[in-house]
Amino acid sequence: MALLKVKFNQKKRVKLAQGLWLMNWFSVFAGILVFSMGLFLKIELRKRSEVMDNSESHFVPNSLILMGILSCAFNGFAGKICYDSLDPAKFAKWKPLLKPYLALCCVFNMLLFFVALICFLMRGSLDSTLAQGLKNGMKFYRDTDTPGRCFMKKTIDMLQIEFKCCGNNGYKDWFEIQWISNRYLDFSSKEVKDRIKSNVDGRYLVDGVPFSCCNPSSPRPCIQYQVTNNSAHYSYDYQTEELNLWRRGCREALLNYYSGMMSSMGAVILLVWLFEMSVMVGLRLLHTSLESIANPEDPECESEGWVLENSLKDTFKSALESLKKLGKFNQVEAGAEGAEGEEGGKTPAITTVS
């Protein structure tokens, strides 16, 4: 029994073709939307590519851009088919192409659904990318005189100000790296010498943070140096008092920003996917209803349209049988080739006459 079997007369076929033509052009605009989202996400990721460890995060925007272009092409072509289906003479040239086109539509919709899932599942990969990228960026914060890294200080400072964050996982991350350039250290000072000698790697570590970690909403002037030294500041206890530094790490801030953006895009793509699926089902009904017309010379006669010629169970069984036959055919060919090789390798017996 056919799946979603529907009876059509000429009026219904015309309405279906007109409706699908309109839906396909809406799908073209949806493709432009998907393309625009991918382009926007790519630009946003490139803005902070310095604090990202690899280019894997660009898989999502690149996929969105590709699917947007394919959506415009597929739906523009389908719109032309639906428009020509109103004229039997024009539709005749599209008949041989409809089955391959519908197969390509199935592949396209599977890819679109896969891209939507990736948008929701990208958080883990993005987390590790940001963690390592921010760690490296903080190490290069002091290299303001090194070519290729001189921009990193500005990048990190603007990032912490914009996203109201500090460090990778928190403000204490700055205590573990030397973020002050040697250019601004007085090596004749006893304090500087002692700090460098006390560190195994010879780095100048302080319990301080860059100015961009300061929270301007705090009523107290920013305490960015000697953060853990209670005696250095009046009426201060860093363990109990609310610090006037951003407590959230930049990894968490950026992760929430990008994952929230990708989740929203994933939800939009799922809606586009549902719309594309409805268009594909409608096109299949139009295709089968036009092919099943008993008398092509009488366009007003009734016909039947369906999505699958058999039920889902029967279709699945026939697909499995086709795959099995294909596997057996390949085995037979391989066996025949092996037998030919063995025959070719045999040396003919030579008899001698005495």
Side-chain angles (χ1 to χ4, degrees):
M1 184 179 178
L3 182 68
L4 287 178
K5 197 172 184 179
V6 183
K7 285 189 176 181
F8 289 92
N9 54 28
Q10 186 188 22
K11 188 177 180 181
K12 284 184 178 180
R13 286 194 295 268
V14 169
K15 282 186 177 181
L16 178 61
Q18 290 174 340
L20 284 172
W21 178 83
L22 187 62
M23 289 175 72
N24 274 295
W25 285 109
F26 275 124
S27 294
V28 169
F29 289 117
I32 294 171
L33 175 64
V34 172
F35 175 85
S36 303
M37 288 192 304
L39 196 61
F40 173 75
L41 182 58
K42 193 170 185 69
I43 292 170
E44 285 295 305
L45 288 170
R46 280 195 177 276
K47 280 182 184 177
R48 298 167 188 95
S49 58
E50 296 88 357
V51 294
M52 292 186 178
D53 185 45
N54 53 46
S55 57
E56 287 180 9
S57 54
H58 288 272
F59 175 76
V60 172
N62 291 341
S63 300
L64 292 177
I65 290 170
L66 177 63
M67 298 312 291
I69 294 170
L70 289 176
S71 178
C72 292
F74 273 93
N75 290 292
F77 182 71
K80 174 65 176 172
I81 292 174
C82 294
Y83 182 79
D84 287 349
S85 66
L86 298 172
D87 184 354
K90 289 182 178 179
F91 180 72
K93 63 181 181 181
W94 298 117
K95 276 188 176 182
L97 298 175
L98 271 173
K99 280 187 177 179
Y101 173 75
L102 285 167
L104 286 174
C105 282
C106 288
V107 175
F108 168 75
N109 282 310
M110 284 190 288
L111 289 174
L112 192 64
F113 184 73
F114 173 73
V115 171
L117 287 181
I118 289 295
C119 287
F120 291 109
L121 301 174
M122 198 67 183
R123 185 181 177 94
S125 175
L126 193 61
D127 189 9
S128 58
T129 297
L130 286 169
Q132 190 59 42
L134 282 165
K135 187 178 179 181
N136 294 334
M138 289 171 66
K139 285 180 182 178
F140 302 146
Y141 182 88
R142 64 172 181 165
D143 297 339
T144 52
D145 298 326
T146 307
R149 298 178 187 173
C150 54
F151 59 87
M152 191 56 74
K153 178 184 180 300
K154 180 183 176 182
T155 300
I156 296 291
D157 282 333
M158 293 303 295
L159 177 68
Q160 293 187 147
I161 291 169
E162 182 181 352
F163 285 90
K164 300 178 179 179
C165 59
C166 185
N168 191 345
N169 298 306
Y171 69 92
K172 289 185 179 180
D173 292 337
W174 289 107
F175 301 171
E176 300 171 4
I177 62 170
Q178 181 181 337
W179 55 272
I180 301 173
S181 174
N182 288 339
R183 181 181 178 182
Y184 305 106
L185 294 176
D186 182 9
F187 287 96
S188 63
S189 170
K190 185 178 182 302
E191 182 189 352
V192 173
K193 287 180 180 178
D194 290 343
R195 281 190 179 273
I196 291 174
K197 287 179 181 178
S198 64
N199 185 264
V200 176
D201 299 324
R203 294 179 297 171
Y204 181 75
L205 303 182
V206 293
D207 54 343
V209 296
F211 77 97
S212 51
C213 282
C214 294
N215 181 358
S217 301
S218 174
R220 181 168 189 157
C222 186
I223 297 174
Q224 64 179 111
Y225 295 108
Q226 296 184 319
V227 175
T228 59
N229 187 357
N230 292 334
S231 60
H233 312 283
Y234 177 74
S235 185
Y236 175 74
D237 185 353
Y238 85 96
Q239 291 183 332
T240 58
E241 185 177 347
E242 186 70 25
L243 295 179
N244 50 7
L245 304 175
W246 301 119
R247 288 186 171 275
R248 185 172 63 161
C250 290
R251 180 183 58 82
E252 181 188 350
L254 283 172
L255 184 62
N256 290 339
Y257 174 71
Y258 284 121
S259 59
M261 188 186 296
M262 287 183 184
S263 296
S264 301
M265 289 180 178
V268 172
I269 295 166
L270 278 178
L271 291 175
V272 173
W273 173 75
L274 289 171
F275 193 74
E276 291 282 359
M277 286 294 291
S278 63
V279 171
M280 187 179 71
V281 169
L283 191 61
R284 173 64 175 166
L285 288 172
L286 180 65
H287 168 225
T288 50
S289 66
L290 288 169
E291 279 201 333
S292 63
I293 292 176
N295 184 11
E297 295 180 0
D298 182 17
E300 294 185 2
C301 68
E302 289 189 349
S303 63
E304 291 183 341
W306 56 83
V307 175
L308 292 176
E309 194 168 358
N310 301 312
S311 64
L312 276 173
K313 186 178 178 180
D314 293 337
T315 304
F316 184 70
K317 281 183 179 179
S318 62
L320 280 178
E321 286 175 3
S322 300
L323 288 173
K324 286 178 181 178
K325 285 179 182 177
L326 185 64
K328 287 179 181 178
F329 180 73
N330 289 336
Q331 287 177 359
V332 169
E333 280 193 340
E337 287 176 2
E340 286 177 4
E342 287 178 4
E343 287 177 3
K346 289 179 181 178
T347 54
I350 300 173
T351 58
T352 58
V353 179
S354 57

